[in-house]
Amino acid sequence: MSTSRESILAAVRANQPEEVPLPTVPIYSGEASLERFTEVLRSIGGEVVQVAGPEHLESALLQLFPATYQCASTLVKATVAVDTQTPTDILEAVDLAVLQGEIGVAENGAIWLPEQNMLNRALPFITQHLVLVLDQRNLVATMHEAYAQLPSAGGYGVFVAGPSKTADIEQSLVIGAHGARSLVVLVY
Amino acid sequence: MNHSHPELAEQFVKDAERTTWHDETLWFVRQKRDRSIYAIPEFQELRELASQIKNHTLSRLHTYLTQFEEAARANGVQVHWAANAEEHNAIVLNILRKHGAERIVKSKSMLTEECHLNPYLLQHGIQVVDTDLGERIIQFRNEPPSHVVLPAIHLKKEDVGETFHLHLGTLKGEKDPQTLTEAARLHLRTKFVSGQVAISGVNFAVAETGSVVVCTNEGNADLGVTLAKVHIACMGIEKLIPRLTDLGVFTRLLARSATGQPVTTYTSHYTKPGPGKEMHIVIVDNGRTKQLGRPDFRASLKCIRCGACMNTCPVYRRSGGHSYDFTIPGPIGAILSPNIDMHKHKSLPFASTLCGSCTDVCPVKIDIHTQLYKWRQVIGENNELPASKKWSMKLLSRVLSSPGVYGWGGKVARESLRLLPHGFTHAKALNPWAKAREMPAPPKQSFREWYEQQNSNGKA
Ligand code: SF4
């Protein structure tokens, strides 16, 4: 249907160089400890709080965030119900989202959050504060190890490393640009 | 209209304090990059792998483009192809029209800058809001970005304060980055929630899965895209990588090379449209296949737009991004621009010291300084040499090919430097090099004279 498609592909075919091999990428490993993960995440503005087990999430949250917060979650008692069809004005009022993270990367503090753990694709970004819950057994050392564990990218998925930030004004670091103003990782 | 790099740079360096500040700010980013890469023992191996993956992808680009298209279509994504900027813009407008969209939010994309999408949409009655903070600032000021990663790096906080005072009603004289960012946050949130269509760039396109990956720190792309009904992702054909696992290499290199962060805050993988939503990908050529056909310059298509070559370049740091008068400034822009318009951008490959620092920091190992050198040859062969280079180069090549003339010339130069008045040796018209520099004190003897003397002394 598109002639540009044909002409671009023809030009690519005519101009691409002789084939060179695709390298095999080793799965570089490294330190996957909770200490390393905590240190790196703190250095990029996030916080790590250890809890004894999943059953202690509620009490840990209560200490961190006052009960008046509008909370959306599948893991703890929610005050706002959110699903894929939730209208924007309700999403906008969410103060706190508590979601399950799948894999934590010690080297850079990133946490894999797949679509099925988000309730709504916009939630991790529109909420004022984000809490990700992580089982320490799911810590890996590097991004290579993380990708090796992902079955696919899913419909949508994001690595989150810290709170939203910017340094666009004279390189001064400001936390809380558009997305969540804080990121706390509750590790058990 | 058509200004050369030296002319435009002259404007920038007039403000000596600002030049120094710009230089130091970028050098600070370069140092952060250094510290960050030392934390990874295999960093150099990763650069090599990234380079090889990109080389391979370019060598089979035809296959990967088709594979990517097929996978994306299977995911329910609509794929479009644009041969040039006009077609890209028309495709985007067409999608907007279909949805009756009048307000769109856009996250940072050098490609849409390259295609001049904003003015085009504006002409067609569509309100475009750039949502990256730096982009929003320069959009208010009606300026192009001056850096690929730090679009407003040329501005001081006082400038931003003044801009926000005018456009967002912040207090006059307010220059606290925290306060200014908060004002932008509140302002932009109203735009995000009312944006009907979101346009994003693409950092990586994965052939295997048909996904596009977008890396940001602010979360603006994600907020825009996930709230809008329609997502349009615009990408150049060179953004492809073969496999999902290749992202392990590139995500480790990109942010560390760019700003010294271990990774960007958000690395988003968009594969399927959200429930009840639409996703489009526009694949753009706009001169890239031409560059692919130039063996000397095709490696420039490996660029992942980290900006490291800009942060390290002594010329970019002191002359500012706007002096390049091209969407992508700095060393890599100086390679990409003559491909698009050699005549207009003929001075850019000369805006470099050929010190090789750009090549040293490039995470995908593009031989940037060699390509700059090669462009200089091509520009010379095509009779496009900037006037000041032309006669001096010709003279130089004659002198260098004749040892007698070279020796005599050196002697004359040494003598004249000593004898001629300063006002003559430093006359701007005659010696642009001495504009901001002192000439070195001429030695009494040349090396050759000294060497001959030593030899005859030894023999005696
Ligand atoms: S040429 Fe290399 S260093 Fe420069 S922006 Fe591109 S990837 Fe980064």
Side-chain angles (χ1 to χ4, degrees):
Chain A
M1 90 199 160
S2 142
T3 55
S4 290
R5 178 187 186 277
E6 308 318 321
S7 66
I8 294 169
L9 286 173
V12 168
R13 195 194 275 281
N15 291 344
Q16 68 192 11
E18 205 176 301
E19 185 171 342
V20 290
L22 175 65
T24 319
V25 179
I27 299 185
Y28 291 101
S29 190
E31 191 187 331
S33 68
L34 180 59
E35 290 70 45
R36 177 102 189 102
F37 176 77
T38 307
E39 181 196 317
V40 174
L41 192 62
R42 282 200 179 133
S43 76
I44 52 179
E47 197 45 69
V48 176
V49 175
Q50 271 182 273
V51 289
E55 65 282 6
H56 299 284
L57 291 177
E58 301 257 4
S59 57
L61 282 169
L62 223 66
Q63 285 191 352
L64 290 163
F65 301 94
T68 51
Y69 273 42
Q70 291 282 313
C71 173
S73 180
T74 45
L75 303 168
V76 294
K77 199 154 80 256
T79 41
V80 200
V82 171
D83 62 24
T84 57
Q85 301 308 316
T86 304
T88 305
D89 53 329
I90 294 181
L91 290 174
E92 254 192 297
V94 175
D95 299 308
L96 178 66
V98 183
L99 307 169
Q100 181 74 49
E102 291 295 328
I103 305 168
V105 185
E107 177 184 82
N108 58 21
I111 294 158
W112 176 249
L113 185 61
E115 178 166 28
Q116 59 272 24
N117 296 9
M118 286 178 199
L119 296 172
N120 180 299
R121 283 189 184 193
L123 185 61
F125 310 101
I126 200 163
T127 179
Q128 298 289 332
H129 302 276
L130 177 62
V131 172
L132 294 177
V133 177
L134 188 70
D135 182 339
Q136 1 184 348
R137 286 171 303 182
N138 295 336
L139 278 175
V140 296
T142 63
M143 291 302 268
H144 309 284
E145 293 183 334
Y147 279 111
Q149 284 191 17
L150 294 181
S152 77
Y156 174 61
V158 57
F159 277 104
V160 180
S164 158
K165 58 174 93 57
T166 182
D168 272 344
I169 302 177
E170 262 198 41
Q171 282 298 291
S172 323
L173 183 69
V174 178
I175 302 283
H178 310 286
R181 295 175 189 273
S182 71
L183 171 74
V184 178
V185 181
L186 293 181
V187 183
Y188 59 82
Chain B
M1 194 46 218
N2 192 353
H3 291 297
S4 71
H5 178 266
E7 281 166 350
L8 292 167
E10 192 163 356
Q11 298 299 315
F12 189 78
V13 299
K14 261 189 196 142
D15 188 341
E17 223 173 282
R18 195 177 270 260
T19 308
T20 309
W21 164 79
H22 192 262
D23 175 32
E24 283 167 359
T25 309
L26 286 159
W27 188 247
F28 172 69
V29 183
R30 154 77 210 255
Q31 285 173 319
K32 280 204 292 183
R33 172 250 175 218
D34 289 351
R35 277 196 296 276
S36 167
I37 70 159
Y38 296 144
I40 294 194
E42 58 272 12
F43 196 82
Q44 297 303 335
E45 288 166 48
L46 290 175
R47 284 179 73 211
E48 183 57 36
L49 284 165
S51 168
Q52 286 183 18
I53 295 170
K54 282 281 181 186
N55 282 338
H56 166 80
T57 315
L58 290 178
S59 78
R60 292 198 54 193
L61 193 55
H62 179 271
T63 319
Y64 286 124
L65 280 166
T66 8
Q67 187 191 359
F68 174 76
E69 179 190 37
E70 220 167 274
R73 290 227 159 102
N75 292 330
V77 175
Q78 301 178 44
V79 181
H80 311 260
W81 298 77
N84 50 38
E86 294 79 63
E87 193 174 3
H88 163 268
N89 293 348
I91 291 170
V92 172
L93 181 65
N94 198 17
I95 303 172
L96 299 180
R97 289 255 160 93
K98 242 196 249 155
H99 290 275
E102 282 155 5
R103 294 178 308 275
I104 65 159
V105 286
K106 195 166 131 270
S107 64
K108 207 161 132 284
S109 144
M110 295 313 288
L111 176 66
T112 57
E113 273 298 321
E114 172 188 323
C115 295
H116 303 292
L117 179 68
N118 284 15
Y120 173 87
L121 292 181
L122 208 66
Q123 256 173 33
H124 289 84
I126 295 189
Q127 193 201 87
V128 189
V129 175
D130 277 321
T131 57
D132 170 271
L133 177 60
E135 293 275 316
R136 187 64 181 145
I137 296 167
I138 56 171
Q139 188 181 33
F140 279 142
R141 298 171 63 94
N142 222 346
E143 285 175 10
S146 71
H147 187 286
V148 294
V149 174
L150 318 161
I153 190 72
H154 58 292
L155 297 173
K156 296 198 155 196
K157 48 182 189 269
E158 290 79 12
D159 305 324
V160 179
E162 190 53 35
T163 307
F164 279 14
H165 171 63
L166 285 173
H167 295 272
L168 297 181
T170 50
L171 287 178
K172 186 148 184 73
E174 180 61 69
K175 55 175 189 189
D176 172 45
Q178 184 86 45
T179 313
L180 295 172
T181 303
E182 186 63 26
R185 176 185 173 101
L186 296 177
H187 154 72
L188 284 167
R189 281 221 162 197
T190 64
K191 303 292 177 188
F192 282 123
V193 297
S194 66
Q196 299 152 305
V197 175
I199 298 183
S200 79
V202 169
N203 289 91
F204 307 102
V206 185
E208 173 186 61
T209 61
S211 320
V212 295
V213 177
V214 179
C215 306
T216 74
N217 282 321
E218 299 179 7
N220 55 316
D222 313 275
L223 198 49
V225 166
T226 54
L227 287 174
K229 207 175 155 289
V230 182
H231 173 197
I232 309 175
C234 303
M235 58 174 268
I237 55 170
E238 81 285 13
K239 294 289 170 183
L240 278 167
I241 54 170
R243 311 159 288 201
L244 190 64
T245 52
D246 293 326
L247 286 169
V249 175
F250 290 100
T251 51
R252 289 181 89 195
L253 289 169
L254 179 64
R256 284 183 198 265
S257 300
T259 57
Q261 292 170 258
V263 70
T264 49
T265 305
Y266 303 103
T267 307
S268 278
H269 307 57
Y270 298 97
T271 309
K272 293 181 182 160
K277 301 201 171 173
E278 239 176 64
M279 181 171 163
H280 297 258
I281 297 175
V282 189
I283 303 175
V284 184
D285 179 352
N286 207 32
R288 286 165 177 76
T289 51
K290 198 166 116 202
Q291 190 85 321
L292 187 64
R294 296 177 185 258
D296 282 348
F297 303 111
R298 70 164 61 102
S300 60
L301 293 171
K302 291 153 69 179
C303 175
I304 56 171
R305 306 283 191 263
C306 71
C309 56
M310 287 155 221
N311 303 340
T312 202
C313 176
V315 177
Y316 173 87
R317 293 202 320 263
R318 289 175 184 81
S319 60
H322 287 155
S323 68
Y324 292 79
D325 195 18
F326 183 66
T327 320
I328 313 272
I332 183 67
I335 299 174
L336 296 171
S337 56
N339 179 59
I340 308 247
D341 186 341
M342 194 197 301
H343 179 68
K344 180 170 181 218
H345 300 295
K346 62 186 176 219
S347 69
L348 294 189
F350 295 89
S352 146
T353 60
L354 296 187
C355 64
S357 184
C358 44
T359 305
D360 286 341
V361 297
C362 178
V364 288
K365 285 199 168 178
I366 300 173
D367 53 339
I368 308 176
H369 74 294
T370 318
Q371 293 194 38
L372 287 169
Y373 178 69
K374 284 180 183 156
W375 264 128
R376 293 185 187 186
Q377 322 291 308
V378 175
I379 286 166
E381 280 157 22
N382 284 276
N383 257 326
E384 290 280 10
L385 274 189
S388 65
K389 310 273 178 207
K390 207 172 188 164
W391 65 264
S392 54
M393 292 286 184
K394 272 205 184 124
L395 186 62
L396 192 65
S397 78
R398 279 220 206 123
V399 171
L400 287 179
S401 57
S402 157
V405 176
Y406 178 77
W408 173 78
K411 205 177 185 85
V412 172
R414 281 189 301 282
E415 289 302 316
S416 352
L417 266 183
R418 205 164 19 243
L419 300 173
L420 287 171
H422 183 272
F424 183 75
T425 54
H426 287 65
K428 278 186 189 158
L430 295 174
N431 185 8
W433 193 84
K435 254 189 228 174
R437 303 177 182 89
E438 270 308 312
M439 298 290 282
K444 293 209 170 57
Q445 252 180 341
S446 73
F447 172 75
R448 193 197 294 232
E449 284 165 359
W450 173 84
Y451 184 77
E452 273 165 12
Q453 197 182 25
Q454 293 294 312
N455 262 0
S456 56
N457 284 353
K459 269 181 215 144

